[in-house]
Each structure stands twice: as structure tokens, then as C-alpha cells.
Amino acid sequence: MSTNNRRAQRTEQNSSDTEAMPNVPIFYSILQTPFTSSGEIDKTSLLRLLEHRIEAGADGLFLLGVASESMFLTWDEKLQIVELVTREIRGRLPVMVAAYEPATGPAVISALRWQDMGATSIIALPPYACTPTNDAIIQHFAQMAAAISIPLIVQDEPNTSGVTMGASIIARIGREVDNVGGFKLEGQPVTEKLTAVRNTLGENTQLFSAAGTFFVEELRRGSNGMMSGYVFPEIIRAVLDRFSRTDDQGAGALWDRYLPLTASESRPALLWSVRKQILKLRGLVETPTVRSPALTVDSTTRSELPEMLARLNLLKAYPYRQ
Amino acid sequence: MSTNNRRAQRTEQNSSDTEAMPNVPIFYSILQTPFTSSGEIDKTSLLRLLEHRIEAGADGLFLLGVASESMFLTWDEKLQIVELVTREIRGRLPVMVAAYEPATGPAVISALRWQDMGATSIIALPPYACTPTNDAIIQHFAQMAAAISIPLIVQDEPNTSGVTMGASIIARIGREVDNVGGFKLEGQPVTEKLTAVRNTLGENTQLFSAAGTFFVEELRRGSNGMMSGYVFPEIIRAVLDRFSRTDDQGAGALWDRYLPLTASESRPALLWSVRKQILKLRGLVETPTVRSPALTVDSTTRSELPEMLARLNLLKAYPYRQ
Amino acid sequence: MSTNNRRAQRTEQNSSDTEAMPNVPIFYSILQTPFTSSGEIDKTSLLRLLEHRIEAGADGLFLLGVASESMFLTWDEKLQIVELVTREIRGRLPVMVAAYEPATGPAVISALRWQDMGATSIIALPPYACTPTNDAIIQHFAQMAAAISIPLIVQDEPNTSGVTMGASIIARIGREVDNVGGFKLEGQPVTEKLTAVRNTLGENTQLFSAAGTFFVEELRRGSNGMMSGYVFPEIIRAVLDRFSRTDDQGAGALWDRYLPLTASESRPALLWSVRKQILKLRGLVETPTVRSPALTVDSTTRSELPEMLARLNLLKAYPYRQ
Amino acid sequence: MSTNNRRAQRTEQNSSDTEAMPNVPIFYSILQTPFTSSGEIDKTSLLRLLEHRIEAGADGLFLLGVASESMFLTWDEKLQIVELVTREIRGRLPVMVAAYEPATGPAVISALRWQDMGATSIIALPPYACTPTNDAIIQHFAQMAAAISIPLIVQDEPNTSGVTMGASIIARIGREVDNVGGFKLEGQPVTEKLTAVRNTLGENTQLFSAAGTFFVEELRRGSNGMMSGYVFPEIIRAVLDRFSRTDDQGAGALWDRYLPLTASESRPALLWSVRKQILKLRGLVETPTVRSPALTVDSTTRSELPEMLARLNLLKAYPYRQ
């Protein structure tokens, strides 16, 4: 489908309430896990983040993701986070929760628990307790999807799982597994892979991308949703609004303007620390604490971040006022 | 130290109760996690395994290890296993429990929990929630060791953690971290690495190996302990007894005789399934169920295993009678 | 196909010269690359190995394989080896040569060069200059197979290439690429994978295994060839001969007897050094030199190897006399 | 050293000819390998690139790097490239050549060949024919450095070698290996690692970075050189010139303006294809051909690249006129 056709369709969809697919890409904001300086979960900051993400225009919340330091949390802490957020959200937004357990049985149990606690969808990685065969991958998602009554999102994120899912296995999941509500694609190259999956699975499949450098290019290729722990969700909202009005150029210009921020907050090995530094500068969390073995930015990076925000005028353009 | 010197020392140690180091290598048997056919933990079989390992001559039990399908268990199931075993063991053997959490904070919490429940030592991997620096590795073990009052064993197992610890970082842990009760070495080549670490850390360090093909060679190189989920622990006991009587040749001949068993039960990707098949053939577990994505042996392997046991006369030489 | 059926077929094939498939599994012996003490290729020893492998009963020679330290050789050295062997072999045996180049274009050029120099078949890995897509893997083998007029063998060896080929991509190669003369399967678990590929591609596909611990089990599953750098090729010949006479039990007993040798010579990280130590002990090479970063066995292993050969009576059972 | 101190030093260095270290960071431009549409090396385009890089202000050329598709070239092609460039350069610029062979012996032979052909320095990866120990890494660089009489640059590039060199092994190389002319650091996080290495090895060590997103931040941290296959070397030159005049802010603003280009040309899995597309759009190469398994951009990316260049006004700001 050409860009022009897609643009036409977008406008048409905007005028219709009957479409199964969203007429505007859905934006799930991934909640960070703020810690107190002694390393406990900082519930006050977590609730502050929650409210801010709603105000900033998120369409949904995503809990226990990679950006939430999922791999750095205990099971009890995960229960606390899901309990707190599902209680406080009071139906204002859908809440997707990750069931990233490395084996199928535990992932099913986890997914069911989140469903019972109020999750509106579940997101899962391929199994990685050991190197899985393709059949084991299919079986994993099939058992999870069969166990729950809410949609299951399939996530392709090789950095965390160590499992690369090519376009052919993704297509097989799409064909063979019922109740799959969409795919989050993060394997490389994201752009070409998105198009390959779209071409195989058709226009009615929900494909999420990650709001990285090529966010607008991904939207133009037919990403109809995104999930991100981006610390200025207001910018994502603004880009999506421009894109939804078919102002692709405006969307691209806005996203390009803030590329230094995008690059900073996705720095390999530093992503958690940089994001929390910025959240602290915005007044959204009390401390920028991350958990080891995640690295903490050094003093130079720590002093560069406020300079970068000032240079881009970000704190004034998008102030946070409680 | 030459083989002759070591042999002399072994004999000498046997006649002394004053040595800090064990005069006979310690054998920790790793408990498998038996499942019912519906995939739940089979507590009856677990207790049967426990009693059998004691009778077979294990010096200690090791819970929640890689051989226990640790990566395939939920937190609640881990609690159940530790609770059950520490209650039933009634002080008959020491109980080491793994705290394999990928980040430092959760690993500390887990280690403290196992200590509270009666573990007599803790074993841990380097942190792997993300690629750790050497400093993060040191910090991980230092924080764990400082938090608990029982010994901490440091495990070098790159297959599970994805983290390779060279001889230099192991030596640094030995020098810089207090309360380290020993090292379990599984990086390759195990034999040469054992000697390198021994040469660096000296004779008073407890070094465990894994009772693989080169078990006796490792003993001769100064491994003074071993941890294994080997399904005929009686054979390990017999090898250790011969070795402790300085009958190296007898120890080696015995181990060599059963190499087809050793090779079978360590088959890459099939290790869990093969071991449970054999435990089922011995009458020790009810079902050979493993959890996906672990592979289950196919029908050919399933029929070959009893043939192999018969060929080696294992069921008659080491019968299990409840 | 059951073991009984296969055994019947084997006997039948033995009485027929008209079958396209070999009635006895083919044995390709991989030539090591002997070095002088100053690190040059030792051509005298290389020719000695060549003659010995012929006398020992190899059906073919395999050059520049992983066991030949392919990754440790220069292009000029590869040319010398292929030139020397193809000249000296004088048609006595077929000569398979590896074209392990990481990109497609160079692999084609290399394959053509080996064909011009007298190779009778080419073996190749999937491309690995960067992570390949499934389509790039198909294209790699298709371009190689189309360029040469001799058979192309597809090798699944994730340790060297870093690329894991599941049963489905192997099946796709079998269906889509002409001129594929067979597959060498080394991904884990080798036994179950062999059966899965056999079931998909049918009885007429040449499947090679690697003469590891489960050599006889692989033969019983329908491996109809093997390639190995095993340093006592006489034993492989004897096992194959027993197996071909449908004496599976004798084949298995023979292979089991020498498992300590098999285990020794496939030791992770030490395989090259151990094999050359043994070749030196047999009088087949002048020096056991390997090239860095390959590890050299330490003094303990070096003294254990002759003990092991003596224990198994190998030097007397299989003497080498020039 | 604070930014202010470094700035002061930079100015001081500018007024002095006596410093051993360059007063302005050195810029080595990595030459791409242009291909004809039939896949041969396009020597005309290669020479055009060479002349353009000189005009654009490169301080040196870097041949056979990752950005040159080194892993996709045959040995004969490497010889052709080095022969052509060293002949045509006629001493106008220094020429660094990569000796990326995976084993030590071949890397030494390759380094000597490049030296004989006129290379002015050699750059090498740690050995990766198999997983190297720290000692094998030291030995690799030591043997290379001892064999050649021109400087050896040590490159930390885990993506290509699969070997991660932490700050401690880099420091050990700096202390133990003579004739090391510097380090190119590409492990993550580059910025913090650069500072850690600088703090350990001191101010007199030449540290190169890669002109990625954090180019200016790396300069401010004390990177005193960079190597890059960036397709608008004019921009790198301009940034370095501003930085050398202590106009850090101007340097940063210039680099930020072109971040969409920087992000595009470093796209994972597409980097070679994107760069050649842009070089083609600039009129510098005849075809954008890359070699399989490198991916070629799809039609959407191919149409987006000229739009991006237009949006940034790059073809007008930096025209190429032969």
C-alpha cells in the first residue's frame, strides 16, 4: 500500500466508528519502576508517573516491561506494582502487563494472575529457559493465549530473550495461534521487518513498534500502535496527533527536533539510568536509582543531561506541574 | 602439586580432624523437580528423591539448581520446594539453595529467604539482567555475601547466565569478597581452569566441579567437592570412596565403565528429559514430565535408555527399593 | 522406519549395486593441519596423515574443516593444502573441501577454486558475515550450488557459524535448492534433529553426522554418512563395518569401549590440542602445535593422554607403522 | 579533567608544536568498497571516494574496516584494494589497514603484508577463531605489535569479533604491549568506557571513537581521534574544526542538526546498504550494491533517503562535483 493510499485510509477511518482496527495508532506508555534511595519501590513516584502518563495522552499503560526493569524485580514487587496500578487506574485506561517468564508453564500462571488482577491484555516473549525450537515457540504462545480470555500480544525482542523470531515464524504464529491481539516488533531492521510482517499477515493485524529513531517511518509503513517508556510521552502524543491528521511532514519534523533526546534515552547499557535521570529532572520521580547490574550514568553524563534538556527547551515546552 | 603429593596429603588429611578443608571431597546432589502428568510439582516423588539421595551417600543437597529446572519454576514453587525439603531433611544433611536471580537486589532478597527457611549455604550466578561489568560482578557477590551469615558459593556457569568469568575475575572475587565458601567451576575447559584457579587462590579454597566426563581428572587436579544431578548418585559415592582411599585407578575405571550413562544424561538440550526418563525407570519419579521449552526425548531415545541401563547392568547393580 | 526395517534394508542394499544411496554409510575423514614447531604447515606430516587415513579405511577426505583449524589458516595456506592433497590423492579417494567464507560472493569464488583444483564436493556453512535472514541462507546455498558442478553439502554447525538452522529451514533448503548432495547435522540435539530432518526430507537424502558419543545411535536413526577428525579412524571403520553387517550390538560395544577417547578428543576449547597430542603420540605428526587463540593442553592433560591410550590399549591395538 | 580544563589544554596545544599528542583530534575516514552491478570491486568509484575523502578533510584513510564490508571480501580483493589505494595516495595521507584475521598467526602475516605495501599503521581486533582467554588476547596484540614497525591500533568492537574487552583488559594491553599506537573503543556504553580507559591509561594515550550519536560528547571526554565511514565526511571535518576552536556549542549544534543522517547510516543490519544508497545519491559510487547476507534496503527506505537528504538540505550544502 502506498503512502498516499494509507493516508487516504487513515482519513477515512477517522470518520468511521465501525472499523475493527483503530483509526489512530494506539500509544501504550511503559511505566518505569521508581525506587527510593534505599532501593525499595517508590509507590508515590509510581502513582505520579501513572497520573502523568494519563495526562500526557497515553492510550494505555504497559507494566513490567523491559523499560520497567522487569528483569530486576522480585515476584512480590511485580505483584505490588500490578496491584497498585490496576487499583488506581479505575478503568481510565487499558493496562497491558508483561508475562516474561522464560518457560511456558510459569508464563501461563503469571498471565492468569495479571488477568485476575485486572490486566486488559498480556504481552509475552518467546520462551527462553533454553533455546526453543519453532514448535516450542508456537506452543508457548498457543498455551498462553488459550489460558486467558484477554488478548495476547507477541513481542519480538531478541535483546532480552536471546531468541530471534524471523518473519516466517511470526507469520506462523499469526496463522496458527488464536487470540493473538498483535505483535510488538523490535528485531532489526525494524522498518523492513514491519513491512514484511504486514505483507504476510495483512492489514487487519495490530503491529506495534517502539518509538525509536524511525518512529514516523514506522507509522508510515503501517505500524498501528506503539509501546514505549519514552520519558516525554507528550511528544509521542503530539507526533501521533499530527500523523493522524495526515500531517506526516509535521510529525516527522517534530520527531526529528527531539532526536538528541531519543538517542540519549535509548543509550545501550545506560537506558534505564538516563531515563530515570530525566524523570528526576522533570520532577516525576524522587531518585534516579537503578538496580545493579544496570549501570548508572557517570558524573559527565549526569551533567550533560540537563544541558541537553535546556538546549531543546524541553522543560519549558513540556513542564510537569503536579 | 604433583599427583603423588596430593595423594599423600589426602591420606594425611584422612587421619586428622583438625583441617579446615574436607579430607574427602564433598558431594552435593542436586535434586530434580519431579512433576505430575498435569505439570504440578510431585511432592511425593520429590521426597522419594530426597530420601534416596541420602541413602545413596550424598553429603549435602542442592536445591533449585539448573538440574532442578530452576528456570522453569515459579517463585511460589521455589518456596514450596525449599519449605518441603528443609522441613523433611531434619538436619540430616546440609542444604544449599540457589539464588539465581538476574539482578543483585532480588538475589539478596532470595538468599535471605532461603537462609531464613533453613538453607545452610547459598549458591549464586554472576548477575545477568544485562551484561555486567567486572565491578558489577564483584558488587553482586559482595552484597550477597554481606547480607547472609551462611557461606556463599560462586558459580561459573556461562550456559545459564551468559556471563563468562575468566580466571582473573574469579581470583578477584576470591581476594576481595569475604564469606565466599567456594566456587563451582563449569566454564570450559573445566580441567585447565580448575588448575588455574587453584594455583591462584591456593590450597585452602573450596573448588567444586560437576562430575562430568572428567570427574576423576578433576579430583586429581584438586577439586575438593562436586555438585551434580547425576541420576545414579551411588556411582559418584563409590568413585569418591575409591578416590579417598587413594585408589585413583579404581576410581577412574569405575567412572569410565559408566561413561555411556554420563554422556546420555548430559546430552545438550535433552539433559532434563533424559534424566527424568532414567529416574522413572529406576522407580524414583512417577512421570518423566519436563516443562516446555525443554525438549522431551523422542520415541527412539525413550526406547534406547532402558537398553543402555540393561547393557550396563545398572538397574541390578544399583536397584532402588522403597 | 523401525530399526528392524532399516536393518532389513541395509542387508538388501548390500546385495545391490543399483541403489543411488550408499548401502554402507560413507566415512569422510577430516584432515588435521599439522604445523612445524615454528608454526608453518608441516607438509610431510600432512602427507603422512593422508596416507594413514586411506589405509585406515576412510571413504573420502575432508579438507579445511573446523577440525582442520580452518579458522586459523591464511588463504595461501588453504591453497597449499588443497593443492598438495589433490595432487597426492591421485583419485584414490573423493576429496570434499570446505568453503566456509562468511559471505556468499567469496564462498562461491572459493568453491569454484576448490572445484578447479580437483575437489569432488564442497561443504559450506550458512553465511555469517552478519546475522542472515532465512532468505539469505537459501540464496547462499542456491548460488553456491548453481555455480559449481560437483555436489554441495550443507553444514549445520552453530558453534562455528553462530547461525542455528532449525529443521524447517533445512527442509526448505532440501526442497528449494538443486544440487544439494547432503546435509551434515551438528546442531543439538543431534539425534532427534536427524530423525526430524529424515522424516521431512525422506529416505533418499544423504545425512551426515559427526561420530560423537551417539555415533551408533545416529547410524540406527538413518545417518548414512559421517565426517570426523577422529584420530583413530580405524575405530570408525570397524564400527561402520560391524554396523553394515547389521551387527548393531557389536558396533555399539566397540564404540562404547573407546568413549574415554571420544570424550577426550572432543573436549570443548581443547579439541584441537588434544587431537594433535594424540596424533603426535601415534607418530603421525611431528609436533602437537596449535595456533593461538586455540588453547594448548596444560602439563597435566599432556601426561594424562598417554595414560588414557595405554589404559585402552590403543597404541597396540591400532599401531601406526610407516 | 573538567571540560574547562580540557578546553584550556586544547587551546594551549594549538599553539604548540612540541606535544606528542595531536592538538586536534585525528579523523580517519573508512573507505567503503564500491561494487559494480555484477558484484566486482568498482575501482573507478573507489578512487573517486579516495579523492573525495581527501578533499573533504580527512586526516587519514582506513582500509578494510567493518564499514568497508571487510567480512564480505576475498583475500585477493583485499590485496587489490590496498594495492590501489597505497599507490594512488602518493603519501598525501596516512593509510591505516585492518588485519582482522581471527587467529594470531594469520593476523601477523596480514599485518606484515599491509606494512610492506605501504600501510602507515595497522588496526586489529582481539582474536576470535575461538573464545580467547585474556592471555590469548594479550599475546595476539603483543605478537602483532612485535612483528611490525608501524603502530598497532587495538579495536574494541564486540559486534564483529564477538569478544567483549572490559576496561581492565584494555588497561592491561596498554601496560603490557609495546608499540600500541592507540585504541578504538566501540563497546557500550562508549562514553563512560572512554572515560574509564582514559582515567586508567592517562592523557598520553590515543583514544579513538566512532563518530556516532555522541561524537561531540566523546570529544569533550577526551577522545583524540575518530574513525568513521560516515558518508558526509565534510560534516565531521566541520564539527572537528569547531571543536578545535573550542566552539563546543557550535560543534554540538552542527552535529545535532544532522542526527537524522547519523541515525540512518548506522541502522542495524542496514548500515552498509544505507550508506551506499547515499553515496550513490551523492554521485560518488556507480551502484549501491552490497553483498549477501548484508540486507539491501527495501523500496520504502530507498525512497525515504533522498527525502531525508533534501529535508536536511545536504546535497546543496555539501555538493560533490568531480
Side-chain angles (χ1 to χ4, degrees):
Chain A
M1 178 181 283
S2 73
T3 301
N4 280 340
N5 284 350
R6 182 167 297 283
R7 192 170 294 162
Q9 189 198 37
R10 241 186 289 154
T11 317
E12 191 183 355
Q13 284 180 333
N14 280 338
S15 59
S16 160
D17 286 324
T18 61
E19 292 289 315
M21 292 287 294
N23 48 9
V24 177
I26 300 174
F27 164 33
Y28 274 90
S29 180
I30 309 176
L31 279 196
Q32 277 75 24
T33 303
F35 297 119
T36 63
S37 52
S38 62
E40 313 279 303
I41 292 181
D42 175 356
K43 293 186 176 177
T44 308
S45 293
L46 184 63
L47 290 177
R48 198 183 295 125
L49 280 184
L50 181 158
E51 296 299 331
H52 179 256
R53 298 293 160 94
I54 296 175
E55 289 162 25
D59 300 313
L61 296 181
F62 176 160
L63 307 184
L64 309 184
V66 174
S68 315
E69 291 171 79
S70 182
M71 301 301 171
F72 302 78
L73 300 174
T74 67
W75 174 248
D76 284 342
E77 290 170 335
K78 291 179 184 178
L79 287 170
Q80 289 172 43
I81 291 168
V82 177
E83 203 274 329
L84 183 66
V85 172
T86 51
R87 190 181 67 213
E88 292 292 328
I89 197 72
R90 295 187 304 275
R92 289 178 288 172
L93 290 185
V95 177
M96 179 182 297
V97 186
Y100 283 166
E101 279 69 19
T104 304
V108 167
I109 287 170
S110 174
L112 281 170
R113 179 69 81 96
W114 307 143
Q115 174 178 286
D116 288 348
M117 292 173 74
T120 55
S121 58
I122 299 294
I123 186 163
L125 296 169
Y128 57 93
C130 59
T131 307
T133 60
N134 280 351
D135 287 344
I137 293 173
I138 297 286
Q139 185 184 353
H140 184 78
F141 291 120
Q143 289 192 13
M144 292 188 74
I148 57 179
S149 53
I150 52 178
L152 177 71
I153 309 298
V154 169
Q155 186 173 3
D156 175 38
E157 213 288 75
N159 281 343
T160 301
S161 66
V163 178
T164 296
M165 296 196 290
S168 66
I169 179 72
I170 290 175
R172 215 184 128 194
I173 296 167
R175 283 194 310 268
E176 298 182 20
V177 181
D178 288 335
N179 195 27
V180 168
F183 296 85
K184 185 182 189 196
L185 304 178
E186 299 181 272
Q188 295 293 350
V190 176
T191 42
E192 335 287 279
K193 196 166 185 177
L194 179 72
T195 297
V197 171
R198 172 64 74 209
N199 287 343
T200 310
L201 291 179
E203 291 293 318
N204 291 320
T205 301
Q206 176 78 38
L207 298 183
F208 292 95
S209 57
T213 306
F214 297 96
F215 175 25
V216 176
E217 284 80 0
E218 286 158 18
L219 290 173
R220 292 173 67 180
R221 280 168 183 271
S223 157
N224 38 28
M226 50 87 50
M227 303 178 184
S228 170
Y230 204 74
V231 286
F232 279 87
E234 301 93 329
I235 298 175
I236 290 182
R237 182 74 270 157
V239 169
L240 284 172
D241 288 347
R242 292 189 184 193
F243 182 76
S244 301
R245 293 192 308 263
T246 74
D247 177 15
D248 290 26
Q249 203 169 333
L254 188 57
W255 194 242
D256 276 2
R257 185 189 310 160
Y258 296 118
L259 275 187
L261 168 65
T262 307
S264 262
E265 68 142 46
S266 61
R267 293 170 78 163
L270 289 180
L271 67 169
W272 298 290
S273 183
V274 166
R275 281 177 169 175
K276 283 190 166 172
Q277 291 287 338
I278 298 177
L279 289 174
K280 165 80 174 144
L281 290 166
R282 295 198 70 184
L284 282 156
V285 301
E286 289 305 311
T287 83
T289 310
V290 295
R291 284 189 173 168
S292 187
L295 284 177
T296 294
V297 295
D298 67 11
S299 60
T300 305
T301 299
R302 193 157 50 243
S303 67
E304 285 168 353
L305 291 171
E307 291 171 23
M308 186 260 288
L309 295 184
R311 207 162 66 238
L312 297 175
N313 200 33
L314 274 159
L315 295 180
K316 286 187 183 155
Y318 302 102
Y320 169 65
R321 289 187 197 89
Q322 210 161 359
Chain B
M1 179 181 283
S2 74
T3 300
N4 281 340
N5 284 351
R6 181 168 297 284
R7 192 169 294 163
Q9 189 197 36
R10 244 186 288 154
T11 316
E12 191 183 354
Q13 284 180 335
N14 280 337
S15 61
S16 161
D17 286 325
T18 61
E19 292 288 318
M21 290 288 295
N23 49 9
V24 177
I26 300 174
F27 164 32
Y28 273 90
S29 180
I30 310 175
L31 279 196
Q32 277 74 23
T33 304
F35 297 119
T36 63
S37 51
S38 61
E40 313 280 304
I41 292 182
D42 174 357
K43 293 185 175 178
T44 308
S45 293
L46 184 63
L47 290 178
R48 199 183 294 127
L49 280 184
L50 180 157
E51 296 299 332
H52 180 255
R53 300 293 160 94
I54 297 176
E55 289 161 25
D59 299 313
L61 296 181
F62 176 160
L63 307 184
L64 309 185
V66 174
S68 315
E69 292 171 78
S70 182
M71 300 302 170
F72 301 79
L73 299 173
T74 67
W75 174 247
D76 284 342
E77 289 169 335
K78 292 179 183 177
L79 287 171
Q80 289 173 42
I81 292 168
V82 177
E83 204 276 329
L84 183 66
V85 172
T86 51
R87 190 181 67 214
E88 292 292 327
I89 196 73
R90 297 186 304 275
R92 290 177 288 172
L93 290 185
V95 177
M96 179 182 297
V97 186
Y100 284 166
E101 279 69 20
T104 304
V108 168
I109 287 171
S110 174
L112 281 170
R113 179 71 80 95
W114 308 143
Q115 174 177 286
D116 288 348
M117 292 173 74
T120 55
S121 59
I122 299 293
I123 186 164
L125 296 169
Y128 57 95
C130 59
T131 307
T133 60
N134 280 352
D135 287 343
I137 292 173
I138 297 286
Q139 184 185 355
H140 183 78
F141 292 120
Q143 290 193 11
M144 291 187 75
I148 57 179
S149 54
I150 52 179
L152 177 71
I153 309 298
V154 170
Q155 185 171 4
D156 174 37
E157 213 288 77
N159 282 342
T160 301
S161 67
V163 179
T164 296
M165 295 196 291
S168 66
I169 177 74
I170 290 175
R172 215 184 129 194
I173 296 167
R175 284 192 311 267
E176 297 182 21
V177 181
D178 288 336
N179 195 29
V180 168
F183 295 85
K184 184 180 191 198
L185 303 178
E186 299 181 271
Q188 294 295 351
V190 176
T191 42
E192 335 288 279
K193 196 165 185 178
L194 180 71
T195 297
V197 171
R198 172 64 74 210
N199 288 343
T200 310
L201 291 178
E203 291 294 318
N204 291 321
T205 301
Q206 176 77 39
L207 297 183
F208 292 95
S209 58
T213 306
F214 297 97
F215 175 24
V216 176
E217 284 80 0
E218 287 158 17
L219 290 172
R220 293 173 67 182
R221 280 169 183 268
S223 158
N224 38 27
M226 50 87 48
M227 304 177 184
S228 170
Y230 204 73
V231 285
F232 279 86
E234 301 93 330
I235 299 175
I236 290 181
R237 182 74 270 155
V239 169
L240 285 171
D241 288 347
R242 292 187 184 196
F243 182 77
S244 300
R245 295 192 306 265
T246 73
D247 178 13
D248 290 25
Q249 204 169 332
L254 188 59
W255 194 242
D256 275 1
R257 185 188 310 161
Y258 296 118
L259 275 187
L261 168 64
T262 307
S264 262
E265 68 143 44
S266 62
R267 294 170 77 162
L270 288 179
L271 68 167
W272 298 289
S273 183
V274 166
R275 282 177 166 174
K276 284 191 165 172
Q277 292 287 338
I278 299 177
L279 289 175
K280 165 81 176 145
L281 290 166
R282 296 198 71 184
L284 282 156
V285 302
E286 290 304 311
T287 82
T289 311
V290 295
R291 284 190 173 167
S292 187
L295 282 177
T296 294
V297 295
D298 67 12
S299 59
T300 305
T301 298
R302 193 156 52 241
S303 67
E304 285 169 351
L305 291 171
E307 292 171 23
M308 186 261 286
L309 296 185
R311 205 163 68 237
L312 298 175
N313 200 33
L314 274 160
L315 294 180
K316 286 186 183 156
Y318 302 103
Y320 168 65
R321 288 188 198 88
Q322 213 161 357
Chain C
M1 179 181 280
S2 74
T3 302
N4 281 340
N5 284 351
R6 180 168 297 284
R7 192 170 293 162
Q9 189 198 38
R10 242 186 288 153
T11 318
E12 192 184 354
Q13 284 182 335
N14 280 340
S15 60
S16 160
D17 287 325
T18 60
E19 292 289 316
M21 290 289 293
N23 49 8
V24 177
I26 300 174
F27 165 32
Y28 273 89
S29 180
I30 309 175
L31 279 196
Q32 276 75 24
T33 303
F35 297 118
T36 64
S37 52
S38 62
E40 313 279 305
I41 291 181
D42 174 357
K43 294 186 176 178
T44 308
S45 293
L46 184 63
L47 290 177
R48 198 182 295 125
L49 280 185
L50 180 159
E51 295 298 333
H52 179 256
R53 301 292 161 94
I54 297 176
E55 290 161 24
D59 299 313
L61 297 180
F62 176 161
L63 308 183
L64 310 184
V66 174
S68 315
E69 290 172 78
S70 182
M71 300 301 171
F72 301 78
L73 300 173
T74 69
W75 174 248
D76 283 342
E77 290 170 334
K78 291 180 184 178
L79 287 169
Q80 289 173 43
I81 291 169
V82 177
E83 203 276 328
L84 184 66
V85 172
T86 52
R87 189 181 68 215
E88 293 292 327
I89 196 72
R90 297 185 305 276
R92 290 177 288 172
L93 289 185
V95 177
M96 179 183 297
V97 186
Y100 283 166
E101 278 70 19
T104 304
V108 167
I109 286 170
S110 175
L112 281 170
R113 179 66 82 96
W114 307 143
Q115 173 176 286
D116 289 348
M117 292 174 75
T120 55
S121 58
I122 299 294
I123 186 164
L125 296 169
Y128 57 95
C130 59
T131 306
T133 60
N134 280 351
D135 286 344
I137 292 173
I138 297 285
Q139 185 185 355
H140 184 77
F141 292 120
Q143 290 192 12
M144 292 188 75
I148 59 179
S149 53
I150 53 179
L152 177 71
I153 309 298
V154 169
Q155 186 173 3
D156 174 38
E157 214 287 76
N159 281 343
T160 301
S161 65
V163 178
T164 297
M165 295 196 290
S168 66
I169 179 74
I170 290 175
R172 215 184 128 194
I173 296 167
R175 284 192 311 266
E176 298 182 20
V177 181
D178 289 335
N179 196 28
V180 168
F183 295 84
K184 184 180 190 198
L185 303 179
E186 298 181 272
Q188 294 295 351
V190 175
T191 42
E192 335 289 279
K193 196 166 184 177
L194 179 71
T195 297
V197 172
R198 173 62 76 209
N199 288 342
T200 309
L201 291 178
E203 290 294 318
N204 291 320
T205 300
Q206 177 77 39
L207 298 183
F208 291 95
S209 58
T213 306
F214 297 97
F215 175 24
V216 177
E217 283 80 359
E218 286 158 17
L219 290 172
R220 292 173 68 181
R221 281 170 183 270
S223 157
N224 39 27
M226 49 87 49
M227 306 177 183
S228 171
Y230 205 74
V231 285
F232 280 87
E234 301 93 330
I235 298 175
I236 290 181
R237 181 75 271 157
V239 169
L240 284 172
D241 289 347
R242 292 187 184 195
F243 181 76
S244 301
R245 293 192 307 264
T246 74
D247 177 16
D248 290 25
Q249 204 170 334
L254 188 59
W255 194 242
D256 275 2
R257 187 189 309 161
Y258 297 118
L259 276 187
L261 169 63
T262 307
S264 262
E265 68 143 44
S266 61
R267 291 171 78 162
L270 289 179
L271 68 168
W272 298 289
S273 183
V274 166
R275 281 178 168 172
K276 284 190 165 172
Q277 292 287 338
I278 298 178
L279 289 174
K280 166 80 175 142
L281 290 166
R282 296 198 71 184
L284 282 156
V285 303
E286 290 307 310
T287 82
T289 311
V290 295
R291 284 189 173 168
S292 187
L295 283 177
T296 294
V297 294
D298 67 11
S299 59
T300 304
T301 298
R302 192 156 55 242
S303 68
E304 285 169 351
L305 290 172
E307 292 171 22
M308 186 261 286
L309 295 184
R311 206 162 66 238
L312 298 175
N313 200 32
L314 274 160
L315 294 179
K316 287 187 182 154
Y318 302 103
Y320 169 64
R321 290 188 195 87
Q322 211 162 2
Chain D
M1 178 180 282
S2 73
T3 301
N4 280 341
N5 283 351
R6 182 167 296 284
R7 193 169 293 161
Q9 188 198 40
R10 240 186 290 153
T11 316
E12 191 184 355
Q13 284 181 334
N14 280 339
S15 59
S16 160
D17 286 325
T18 61
E19 292 289 317
M21 291 289 295
N23 49 9
V24 176
I26 300 174
F27 164 34
Y28 274 90
S29 180
I30 309 174
L31 277 196
Q32 276 75 23
T33 304
F35 298 119
T36 64
S37 51
S38 62
E40 314 278 305
I41 292 181
D42 174 357
K43 294 186 175 178
T44 307
S45 293
L46 184 62
L47 290 177
R48 198 183 295 126
L49 280 185
L50 180 158
E51 296 299 331
H52 180 254
R53 299 292 161 95
I54 298 176
E55 290 161 24
D59 299 313
L61 296 180
F62 177 161
L63 307 184
L64 310 184
V66 174
S68 315
E69 291 171 78
S70 182
M71 300 301 170
F72 301 80
L73 300 173
T74 69
W75 174 249
D76 284 342
E77 290 170 334
K78 292 179 184 178
L79 288 170
Q80 289 173 42
I81 291 169
V82 177
E83 203 276 328
L84 184 66
V85 171
T86 51
R87 191 181 67 214
E88 292 292 328
I89 196 74
R90 295 187 303 276
R92 290 177 287 171
L93 290 185
V95 177
M96 179 182 298
V97 186
Y100 283 165
E101 279 69 20
T104 304
V108 168
I109 287 171
S110 174
L112 282 170
R113 179 69 80 95
W114 307 144
Q115 174 177 285
D116 288 347
M117 292 173 76
T120 55
S121 58
I122 299 294
I123 185 163
L125 296 169
Y128 57 94
C130 57
T131 307
T133 59
N134 280 351
D135 287 344
I137 293 173
I138 297 286
Q139 185 185 354
H140 183 78
F141 292 120
Q143 289 192 12
M144 291 188 75
I148 58 179
S149 54
I150 53 179
L152 177 71
I153 309 298
V154 169
Q155 186 173 2
D156 174 38
E157 212 289 76
N159 280 343
T160 300
S161 66
V163 179
T164 297
M165 295 197 291
S168 66
I169 179 73
I170 291 175
R172 214 183 129 195
I173 296 167
R175 284 193 310 268
E176 298 182 20
V177 182
D178 288 335
N179 196 27
V180 167
F183 295 85
K184 184 181 190 197
L185 303 179
E186 300 181 271
Q188 295 293 351
V190 176
T191 42
E192 334 288 279
K193 196 165 185 178
L194 179 71
T195 297
V197 172
R198 173 63 74 210
N199 288 342
T200 310
L201 291 178
E203 291 294 319
N204 290 320
T205 301
Q206 176 77 39
L207 298 182
F208 292 95
S209 57
T213 305
F214 297 96
F215 176 25
V216 177
E217 283 80 1
E218 286 158 18
L219 290 172
R220 293 173 67 180
R221 279 170 183 269
S223 157
N224 39 28
M226 49 87 50
M227 305 177 183
S228 169
Y230 204 74
V231 285
F232 279 87
E234 300 94 329
I235 298 175
I236 290 181
R237 182 73 272 155
V239 169
L240 285 171
D241 288 348
R242 292 187 182 194
F243 181 77
S244 301
R245 292 192 307 265
T246 74
D247 177 14
D248 290 26
Q249 203 169 334
L254 188 58
W255 194 242
D256 275 1
R257 185 190 309 163
Y258 296 117
L259 275 188
L261 168 65
T262 307
S264 262
E265 69 143 46
S266 61
R267 292 170 79 161
L270 289 179
L271 67 168
W272 298 290
S273 183
V274 165
R275 281 177 169 173
K276 284 190 165 172
Q277 291 288 338
I278 299 177
L279 289 174
K280 166 78 176 146
L281 290 166
R282 296 199 70 184
L284 281 156
V285 302
E286 290 304 312
T287 81
T289 310
V290 295
R291 284 188 174 170
S292 188
L295 283 178
T296 295
V297 295
D298 67 11
S299 58
T300 305
T301 299
R302 193 156 52 244
S303 67
E304 285 169 352
L305 290 170
E307 292 170 22
M308 185 261 287
L309 296 184
R311 205 161 66 237
L312 297 175
N313 201 32
L314 274 159
L315 295 180
K316 285 187 184 156
Y318 301 103
Y320 169 65
R321 289 191 197 85
Q322 210 163 0

